[in-house]
Amino acid sequence: MTASMAFYADGNTAVRLNRYGTTRTPILTPDGENHSLAVSAFDRVPIAEHLAFARELSTACADYVAALEAYAAALPDDETDGNEGP
C-alpha cells in the first residue's frame, strides 16, 4: 500500500519535541490548526534504522530551510506578504 499526505505549516503551527530521557523514544510533533503529525520510533524496528531515518530527516530539513531562504531572497519585496497558497 502507498500513501501520501500534505502538512501545510503556517504562523500557528507549533513544533514540539517530547523527550522521555532513556525511558522511551522521543516524539516529534508538528501541530497545526485541526491537524498534526507525529514522528516516533516503534520498538519492533531496530534503533539503528530510526537513527538513520532521523539523520536523513535532519539533512532534508536543513536543505529545505536553505532552499526556502534562497526562494524568499529571490522574491520581489511586494510578494513576501505570505498570501501565496499551496
Side-chain angles (χ1 to χ4, degrees):
M1 174 173 62
T2 60
S4 177
M5 67 172 273
F7 187 97
Y8 298 107
D10 62 20
N12 296 317
T13 302
V15 179
R16 294 177 179 82
L17 175 60
N18 299 298
R19 298 172 190 239
Y20 304 101
T22 58
T23 59
R24 61 181 282 202
T25 58
I27 300 173
L28 176 66
T29 311
D31 288 314
E33 188 173 330
N34 299 318
H35 64 280
S36 67
L37 173 67
V39 178
S40 62
F42 290 112
D43 291 337
R44 66 181 176 264
V45 177
I47 194 64
E49 290 181 22
H50 289 293
L51 286 167
F53 168 77
R55 290 180 181 118
E56 189 175 330
L57 178 63
S58 176
T59 298
C61 286
D63 291 346
Y64 175 72
V65 170
L68 193 57
E69 287 172 338
Y71 173 79
L75 287 175
D77 288 339
D78 61 342
E79 292 186 28
T80 60
D81 61 2
N83 290 329
E84 182 179 347

